[in-house]
Amino acid sequence: MSFRPQDDLEEEEEEEEESTNPTEVKMSQIVMPCHSNHRQELSVGQLLKWIDSTACLSAERHAGSSCVTASMDDIHFEHTISVGQVVNIKAKVNRAFNTSMEVGIVVSCEDLFSDRHWRVCHAYATFVTQRTHTGNKVLLKPSPPHTQAEQVEYSVAAERRRVRMVHDDIIKDLLSDRSFQQADSLAVDNAVAAEKTKVESVELVLPPHANHQVNTFGGQIMAWMVNVATIAASRLCQAHPTLRTIDMFTFRGPSQVGDRLLLRAIVNNAFKNSMEVGVRAEAYQGDGPNRHINSAFMTFEVLDDHGTPCTLPRIRPEALEGRRRFEEAIARKKIRLDRKYIISCKQTEVPLSVPCDPRNQVYLSYNNISALKMLAAKKNWLLSSEKDKVSLYTLEQKSTLSIRVESEVDVPAHRAFCLLSELRNRTNWDTHYQKCELIRPVDDDDFLYRVETPSVSREGGATPTSPRTLQDFILLASRRRPCGSGDPYVIALRSVSLPTHPPTEGFNRGEVLCAGFTILETRNNTSLISYYNQASPEVLPYISTDIAGLSSSFYHTFCACSQYLARNRLQPAPEEEQTDQYPAENREDPASDRVTESLSLALHNTHL
């Protein structure tokens, strides 16, 4: 799962801070001919070896004990690396949970002769600790962030973990909805039979293939998988393909020296300019049963002399299992497009309201929460006004103006979260919310609302509230409880579009780019409540010229919010939290620990 918006990557490079993270590990390698493919470019398999070893060293530096790779999130390779260039890999622990940790990896390339540097790819790997000799689990110490950029990664790591846990369920749900399938996709003239692309190879695991724990090196397994996948792709296109994307690697069990590793690959589906190859790795010894070690899905392209993707032959799948793989490849492509549209696009692009349906809900929810967390972690907020301990901060970035209003309130954080997360309560204290109706709950933590507000005038205030001057919004509200001590409660809002709720006559359909609350427990049952609102480009001209009047409006609204919370601080609410501040879905319980050791126990079995 590739989660980082490109504009945030660029901004991070511009504002990079000196890291003092003790888990950071750097590796630099010059690309020699023995590391390259037929085009004198670094082979992806070799790069994966270097990535995995660097990330493992970072994980073990934090854990103080042996660690193994549990999974590697989706990787998109933006550029190739040529012989003679230098690969720079940086890895550090973003966040440690109970027995698992997320390691962030950034790969860049350096040309020694022109002094140029560029980003090649980034990745997120999950590592787990090995059990002790007594069979006990090693509990990890916290990994506090040291810089602003690390604070963002630390905060969003919990959301990425949440998405990993349901990765295969997303595929399953999407396959149950056949509306996206191409009805005539199986009846293509001159299609290539999938059987012709099959590859089967056996590798004997020798001591040079093992890591310092005498298990088969995860990077070596990934490299072997890339090799057979490349052969399968070549058989379809009869050319040398370029690997663009690898879907999540999931290690389901260990392999040791002496194992035979059986690797199978086949082209699952071919689209106009890309193809998906499925790879499965199994280990066995002697006459023993095969053990499923890993599965992955890789996307290849064939580039012409100008670097433009070529049109590919279509594939004719085998019956039964081949048909299933064919359809799953369509589902995965749909998910990749959703991620690219929802997560990777720049936030200032329009339309802001992404269509909301069950097929992209997980990524919409992730983007909603992570966008607010990233906004909250920004530096350079400027204090514009302060009155009665209510502070208004502003942040101007490119074409957006962000506003933060915060104050300490004498209400427990879990109670404030309960009251504010139900958006219909907002009409009790916010005069701008004239009407709020629940369209439907999406799941336990995400809800769709329709909100009516006055339109914004060029003077920065509300226009007369006749039906023709009202605005309405379709909002996705996502809420999250703390994942650990020191984490805030989060309530995030963003606009979405629904086919069942088109623009209404007499209303101007508005759009919310990023808004919401963070609620942090401070002391003695008091909370620091922060409200954020990122103004979209079309609203910016109306409010940027009147910050003084705007601050007054926000001050009165925030005071009304504080008074509402104080009045209801002791009254029970229908959604009052359990006494446990960190409920089971946000902690690593024993079942979740087993997931992080071998993700197969929580995820459905994935085949080619």
Side-chain angles (χ1 to χ4, degrees):
M1 291 151 286
S2 183
F3 293 123
R4 300 175 83 176
Q6 183 60 35
D7 47 342
D8 285 311
L9 291 175
E10 294 168 356
E11 189 174 301
E12 178 186 318
E13 289 174 350
E14 294 172 2
E15 302 177 358
E16 189 173 358
E17 300 164 279
E18 188 67 30
S19 175
T20 57
N21 192 321
T23 70
E24 182 173 285
V25 173
K26 295 179 179 179
M27 176 187 288
S28 293
Q29 297 278 357
I30 189 165
V31 180
M32 306 297 289
C34 61
H35 303 138
S36 67
N37 57 23
H38 61 283
R39 288 191 295 264
Q40 297 298 295
E41 295 170 350
L42 174 64
S43 72
V44 173
Q46 181 62 59
L47 178 58
L48 289 172
K49 289 183 185 180
W50 289 338
I51 288 174
D52 190 55
S53 61
T54 309
C56 184
L57 290 173
S58 174
E60 292 186 340
R61 178 174 287 183
H62 177 73
S65 62
S66 298
C67 296
V68 294
T69 313
S71 68
M72 184 83 72
D73 288 0
D74 299 0
I75 306 175
H76 176 71
F77 300 98
E78 303 168 24
H79 301 283
T80 57
I81 305 170
S82 301
V83 170
Q85 294 177 333
V86 173
V87 179
N88 295 310
I89 304 173
K90 182 170 66 175
K92 55 186 173 182
V93 174
N94 289 335
R95 182 160 187 165
F97 299 94
N98 281 347
T99 58
S100 70
M101 68 199 96
E102 179 190 277
V103 178
I105 308 113
V106 176
V107 181
S108 60
C109 184
E110 176 184 357
D111 191 310
L112 296 174
F113 301 102
S114 62
D115 196 30
R116 291 190 307 120
H117 298 75
W118 60 92
R119 177 73 55 86
V120 175
C121 66
H122 69 269
Y124 298 101
T126 300
F127 282 82
V128 295
T129 54
Q130 293 275 59
R131 291 177 180 268
T132 64
H133 65 280
T134 60
N136 296 324
K137 298 176 183 177
V138 177
L139 296 180
L140 295 169
K141 60 187 177 183
S143 55
H146 297 81
T147 67
Q148 199 74 19
E150 289 177 6
Q151 176 62 49
V152 174
E153 294 287 11
Y154 178 89
S155 182
V156 181
E159 275 303 297
R160 284 190 289 263
R161 180 174 178 270
R162 179 187 178 101
V163 176
R164 284 183 203 111
M165 302 286 282
V166 297
H167 181 259
D168 281 14
D169 287 330
I170 300 169
I171 298 288
K172 181 180 177 182
D173 293 343
L174 186 54
L175 286 172
S176 65
D177 178 6
R178 302 306 177 98
S179 61
F180 72 94
Q181 302 283 2
Q182 303 169 13
D184 60 346
S185 57
L186 299 181
V188 179
D189 293 337
N190 303 319
V192 176
E195 293 93 329
K196 292 185 177 181
T197 70
K198 276 186 176 179
V199 179
E200 186 171 302
S201 178
V202 176
E203 299 283 354
L204 175 61
V205 181
L206 299 172
H209 303 139
N211 58 21
H212 53 295
Q213 303 160 28
V214 201
N215 290 324
T216 311
F217 177 38
Q220 179 63 69
I221 296 175
M222 291 189 281
W224 282 334
M225 294 174 75
V226 169
N227 179 58
V228 294
T230 303
I231 296 172
S234 301
R235 288 180 176 174
L236 174 68
C237 62
Q238 296 182 334
H240 296 297
T242 298
L243 179 57
R244 282 299 185 203
T245 303
I246 302 177
D247 281 16
M248 185 169 66
F249 279 108
T250 301
F251 288 93
R252 302 172 182 277
S255 169
Q256 295 85 27
V257 171
D259 277 347
R260 277 69 173 171
L261 223 59
L262 177 62
L263 301 143
R264 295 192 181 100
I266 191 172
V267 176
N268 290 334
N269 204 336
F271 306 98
K272 183 179 179 181
N273 301 120
S274 66
M275 70 185 94
E276 182 194 271
V277 179
V279 193
R280 182 182 175 96
E282 298 175 349
Y284 67 92
Q285 282 194 351
D287 297 329
N290 288 10
R291 309 188 309 275
H292 185 188
I293 299 299
N294 204 332
S295 291
F297 304 94
M298 307 184 189
T299 302
F300 289 85
E301 294 176 345
V302 177
L303 305 178
D304 62 19
D305 295 338
H306 304 289
T308 304
C310 301
T311 302
L312 298 175
R314 299 306 300 272
I315 200 81
R316 185 171 65 252
E318 305 167 284
L320 301 177
E321 285 299 299
R323 174 66 182 263
R324 176 185 59 79
R325 293 193 298 263
F326 185 93
E327 293 179 349
E328 287 183 355
I330 299 174
R332 279 185 289 271
K333 182 183 179 184
K334 170 70 170 63
I335 289 173
R336 283 192 292 269
L337 292 174
D338 282 345
R339 285 202 304 261
K340 182 177 180 180
Y341 181 47
I342 296 170
I343 296 174
S344 299
C345 65
K346 294 182 183 296
Q347 289 189 321
T348 53
E349 293 176 350
V350 292
L352 304 175
S353 300
V354 176
C356 180
D357 64 56
R359 293 173 292 188
N360 65 12
Q361 172 55 43
V362 170
Y363 301 105
L364 266 177
S365 177
Y366 165 82
N367 180 256
N368 196 15
I369 293 291
S370 62
L372 183 61
K373 286 185 172 183
M374 288 178 180
L375 179 61
K378 297 287 186 186
K379 54 184 179 180
N380 300 327
W381 288 93
L382 297 177
L383 179 63
S384 296
S385 66
E386 188 172 20
K387 182 179 179 181
D388 298 332
K389 298 183 179 180
V390 176
S391 303
L392 171 69
Y393 299 84
T394 58
L395 176 66
E396 292 188 59
Q397 287 184 307
K398 298 178 181 177
S399 59
T400 62
L401 173 66
S402 302
I403 298 159
R404 183 179 97 208
V405 189
E406 68 182 20
S407 179
E408 195 165 308
V409 179
D410 186 21
V411 177
H414 65 91
R415 180 63 183 151
F417 171 75
C418 183
L419 292 167
L420 294 176
S421 61
E422 172 49 77
L423 216 58
R424 287 173 294 185
N425 291 339
R426 191 157 169 175
T427 57
N428 294 323
W429 55 267
D430 190 344
T431 57
H432 298 92
Y433 269 53
Q434 295 186 346
K435 183 179 180 182
C436 180
E437 58 179 337
L438 176 66
I439 297 175
R440 66 171 184 269
V442 178
D443 53 37
D444 291 342
D445 292 312
D446 298 274
F447 303 84
L448 291 168
Y449 294 91
R450 179 179 176 272
V451 176
E452 294 181 8
T453 71
S455 290
V456 177
S457 71
R458 291 185 180 274
E459 286 72 33
T463 59
T465 56
S466 63
R468 293 186 180 278
T469 59
L470 289 176
Q471 260 188 322
D472 69 344
F473 299 83
I474 305 299
L475 298 181
L476 172 66
S478 304
R479 63 183 189 180
R480 297 290 187 273
R481 295 175 176 84
C483 189
S485 178
D487 279 355
Y489 292 84
V490 178
I491 305 163
L493 305 173
R494 66 158 296 163
S495 286
V496 295
S497 60
L498 290 173
T500 56
H501 289 72
T504 308
E505 184 178 356
F507 288 85
N508 297 319
R509 177 57 54 88
E511 291 186 309
V512 172
L513 179 59
C514 175
F517 294 89
T518 63
I519 306 166
L520 185 64
E521 189 83 50
T522 52
R523 62 186 187 281
N524 299 327
N525 284 330
T526 61
S527 309
L528 179 66
I529 299 181
S530 304
Y531 173 74
Y532 298 86
N533 198 316
Q534 190 171 33
S536 54
E538 66 269 20
V539 177
L540 188 60
Y542 302 146
I543 64 174
S544 59
T545 58
D546 192 17
I547 292 295
L550 186 69
S551 64
S552 175
S553 173
F554 271 108
Y555 166 75
H556 291 297
T557 301
F558 210 81
C559 287
C561 176
S562 301
Q563 293 166 8
Y564 167 77
L565 294 174
R567 287 197 306 270
N568 294 276
R569 72 186 306 272
L570 299 177
Q571 295 180 11
E575 298 180 359
E576 188 68 73
E577 287 190 81
Q578 303 297 323
T579 26
D580 183 0
Q581 187 173 348
Y582 308 119
E585 65 265 31
N586 294 292
R587 293 194 315 256
E588 284 193 282
D589 56 19
S592 177
D593 285 338
R594 292 195 297 273
V595 169
T596 56
E597 287 181 320
S598 172
L599 299 180
S600 58
L601 293 183
L603 303 177
H604 299 290
N605 189 26
T606 305
H607 305 283
L608 290 185

